[in-house]
């Protein structure tokens, strides 16, 4: 649970505060959707591949 919380903090920092400090615009639109899709795929793929060799 501690590592999950740490990952959440890091992701929140990278998606919000980092843009203010580095003057790099945040992800928006298609790029943010693709990032979200990759994250969701990483969560759902193990559910469907359990027990297969």
């Amino acid at each position: 649970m501690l590592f999950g919380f740490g990952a959440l903090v890091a992701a929140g920092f990278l998606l919000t505060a980092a843009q203010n400090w580095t003057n790099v615009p945040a992800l928006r639109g298609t790029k943010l959707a693709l990032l979200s899709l990759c994250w969701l795929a990483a969560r759902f793929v193990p559910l469907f591949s359990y027990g297969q060799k």
Side-chain angles (χ1 to χ4, degrees):
M1 206 161 86
L2 182 61
F3 292 112
F5 180 73
L8 180 68
V9 169
F13 171 76
L14 290 173
L15 292 174
T16 58
Q19 67 179 335
N20 293 330
W21 291 355
T22 62
N23 291 325
V24 176
L27 294 177
R28 293 178 188 240
T30 305
K31 290 182 181 180
L32 183 58
L34 287 173
L35 177 65
S36 300
L37 228 94
C38 289
W39 181 83
L40 282 172
R43 300 303 181 262
F44 283 110
V45 165
L47 293 175
F48 298 112
S49 63
Y50 180 73
Q52 296 179 2
K53 292 184 179 181

